Amino acid sequence: MSSTEHGPANSAETRMNEKKCSWASYMTNSPTVIVMIGLPARGKTYMSKKLTRYLNWIGVPTKVFNLGVYRREAVRAYKSYDFFRHDNEEAMKVRKQCALVALQDVKAYLLAEGGQIAVFDATNTTRERRDLILAFVKENAFKVFFVESVCDDPQVIAANILEVKVSSPDYPERHRERVMGDFLKRIECYKVTYQPLDPDDYDRDLSFIKVMNVGRRFLVNRVQDYIQSKIVYYLMNIHVHSHSIYLCRHGESGHNVDGRIGGDAQLSPRGKQFAHALRGFIEEHDLSDLKVWTSQLRRTIQTAEELGVPYEQWKILNEIDAGVCEEMTYEMIQNSFPEEFALRDQDKYHYRYPGGESYQDLVQRLEPVIMELERQGNVLVICHQAVMRCLLAYFLDKSAEDLPYMKCPLHTILKLTPVAYGCKVEMFYLNVEAVNTHRDRPLESLCEGSDFDSCEATSGCVRF
């Protein structure tokens, strides 16, 4: 058999011609509208944004439609809670019209723009409003799943108002006491007409999850399909608590020095120096309650061994499998498999090494890690370049196009701290030199500089 008939280059062309669709996308046989329900300051927007980030990360095109944005477009100057009184007829007309406009945008996204899930982020506290939405989804043959957030803990509500609502465009003066007073009265306006989902009678045939007191209890009703089960699984795993996630790569390895990818090399002398510096970092920052996770490859285990603390090995944290290209340099790959080399540069996210993995495969493999990171306290993940890119892309809401080019240098720690609607990022370089293993995007580097400068993330670089 000649290599031209059955070799990697020929099979690569076939693989790259396959439909570029994630495994999760195959499970959504019709568009779905996720409808949020709940009084103000119950974490609906927090859940909407987080759920959207997760669904996009696993490959299901998802977008949030926040009704507050539409209302602010229609009514430029917010004056007071009076706008939300149920007997304010003029305001009620404006609010209903905003909902209708938003639903038309939902329709356009799902039918004309390639979207698969739309999250309708609003209070939707009355049966009248929900019946309007149900008529809309029936008319367009969409599926619908309701997410109701119920909270009667005054401390949680007050904390939410102070963390999120004080900085809302509705309150440009940001006076804490006045904001708190007005917003509590706004909540009372909604309470007058609030009709929670009724699982025993009126709403027994609907598909929904009730999230009670920020995830202390759940009620799930009539889950219809795979993607709805994924939504339930995710919402039952996200915990609202203060914690930080530390990500770093293993210390520099012998293969890093030689420019080889994959394999199971041991640490170089500078890699061992980094492991020692990492121990100092943990002690300096008093991270006594820190959990440490590694892959099952020697370079991450050797890095963790130096820390003098217990650690867990996760096979799913192993580096991307380069298949037939394992332990080769990029020059060797280009010479041996020129078509493979070119195809990977054309679409790095979907490209799968012959006998190996793609970044898309890696995201699927890492999903359990994301679920555990959402549930845990402070965790240090000592991993690998491709793995770290995938984890970072989830937390920083990066696209599949940008993910494979995120810069994750050796001997650098990233501290991720979840904040209201995003993630705060701090970078610590431990002053141990290492080779640069980053390859820029071909032709033009669109990811120059910091990869962490999104509108919902702040970043700093600290030399330690």
Side-chain angles (χ1 to χ4, degrees), residues 57 359 362-363 366 385-394 403:
W57 185 73
Y359 271 94
L362 190 54
V363 163
L366 289 169
Q385 181 166 251
V387 171
M388 189 166 167
R389 284 170 172 161
C390 291
L391 296 178
L392 268 179
Y394 167 77
L403 182 156

Side-chain angles (χ1 to χ4, degrees), residues 93-201:
K93 288 178 183 176
V94 172
R95 290 163 63 190
K96 183 175 181 179
Q97 183 59 31
C98 288
L100 293 171
V101 171
L103 288 174
Q104 287 307 304
D105 287 350
V106 165
K107 179 179 177 179
Y109 175 68
L110 295 177
L111 295 182
E113 298 169 21
Q116 289 184 340
I117 295 181
V119 183
F120 190 58
D121 178 19
T123 53
N124 299 314
T125 46
T126 65
R127 285 175 181 167
E128 179 186 3
R129 175 58 58 81
R130 297 197 292 268
D131 286 345
L132 182 149
I133 296 168
L134 285 167
F136 164 80
V137 297
K138 185 177 180 181
E139 178 187 340
N140 291 285
F142 299 150
K143 289 184 178 179
V144 63
F145 187 76
F146 293 92
V147 178
E148 182 174 23
S149 181
V150 180
C151 182
D152 56 14
D153 186 330
Q155 287 186 314
V156 172
I157 295 165
N160 196 8
I161 293 172
L162 289 175
E163 184 177 10
V164 179
K165 306 305 179 184
V166 169
S167 58
S168 163
D170 287 342
Y171 302 105
E173 78 283 358
R174 303 196 175 182
H175 188 283
R176 289 167 67 93
E177 287 75 19
R178 282 200 289 270
V179 171
M180 180 68 79
D182 183 85
F183 206 87
L184 288 173
K185 288 175 183 174
R186 186 193 295 196
I187 293 171
E188 291 303 314
C189 291
Y190 279 97
K191 280 185 178 179
V192 174
T193 56
Y194 182 23
Q195 297 168 294
L197 288 173
D198 177 7
D200 299 317
D201 188 15

Side-chain angles (χ1 to χ4, degrees), residues 8 44 51 68 70 100 105 108 121 184 195 202 214 228 248 281 284 296 309 329 333 349 417 423 428 438:
K44 297 183 300 300
L51 184 57
Y70 289 84
L100 293 171
D105 287 350
D121 178 19
L184 288 173
Q195 297 168 294
Y202 191 86
V214 205
Q228 290 183 10
C248 73
F281 174 86
E284 179 76 15
Q296 290 188 350
V309 297
T329 66
I333 297 170
Y349 181 79
T417 306
C423 201
F428 300 87
H438 182 81

Side-chain angles (χ1 to χ4, degrees), residues 215-417:
R216 289 178 202 162
R217 290 176 60 213
F218 302 91
L219 190 155
V220 181
N221 195 70
R222 293 181 67 88
V223 171
Q224 284 183 308
D225 58 22
Y226 175 80
I227 206 68
Q228 290 183 10
S229 71
K230 296 287 286 183
I231 292 164
V232 168
Y233 173 55
Y234 180 73
L235 291 175
M236 292 179 73
N237 276 279
I238 58 172
H239 290 190
V240 182
H241 59 279
S242 177
H243 70 294
S244 293
I245 296 158
Y246 298 82
L247 299 179
C248 73
R249 293 170 63 187
H250 52 80
E252 179 189 75
S253 73
H255 275 13
N256 291 148
V257 174
D258 296 338
R260 296 176 183 270
I261 64 173
D264 193 15
Q266 301 193 59
L267 295 183
S268 71
R270 291 190 302 197
K272 293 175 182 175
Q273 190 181 344
F274 166 74
H276 182 74
L278 183 58
R279 178 172 185 160
F281 174 86
I282 292 172
E283 292 171 353
E284 179 76 15
H285 288 252
D286 194 24
L287 303 178
S288 55
D289 61 341
L290 189 70
K291 289 188 175 181
V292 178
W293 299 348
T294 74
S295 73
Q296 290 188 350
L297 297 174
R298 286 188 295 182
R299 51 197 185 273
T300 63
I301 294 169
Q302 288 176 346
T303 305
E305 280 287 337
E306 183 66 29
L307 305 182
V309 297
Y311 61 91
E312 298 176 38
Q313 296 180 26
W314 291 54
K315 187 174 182 179
I316 55 176
L317 283 172
N318 284 5
E319 180 59 304
I320 191 170
D321 185 349
V324 299
C325 300
E326 281 281 311
E327 302 192 81
M328 298 175 73
T329 66
Y330 285 116
E331 186 179 3
M332 290 165 66
I333 297 170
Q334 190 170 18
N335 291 335
S336 301
F337 309 118
E339 283 192 52
E340 292 289 339
F341 190 83
L343 285 168
R344 189 165 191 262
D345 277 350
Q346 286 171 25
D347 187 355
K348 192 174 178 182
Y349 181 79
H350 293 99
Y351 171 83
R352 180 181 289 128
Y353 284 104
E357 291 178 300
S358 66
Y359 271 94
Q360 182 177 326
D361 297 330
L362 190 54
V363 163
Q364 182 181 349
R365 164 152 67 91
L366 289 169
E367 189 179 356
V369 176
I370 290 298
M371 293 299 177
E372 280 303 306
L373 287 175
E374 287 287 3
R375 296 170 62 90
Q376 298 288 339
N378 297 329
V379 180
L380 166 64
V381 185
I382 303 172
C383 53
H384 307 268
Q385 181 166 251
V387 171
M388 189 166 167
R389 284 170 172 161
C390 291
L391 296 178
L392 268 179
Y394 167 77
F395 286 105
L396 302 186
D397 200 15
K398 294 294 182 180
S399 69
E401 290 73 28
D402 289 340
L403 182 156
Y405 297 100
M406 296 182 75
K407 291 184 178 177
C408 299
L410 289 164
H411 302 175
T412 301
I413 302 165
L414 294 182
K415 178 183 178 182
L416 310 178
T417 306

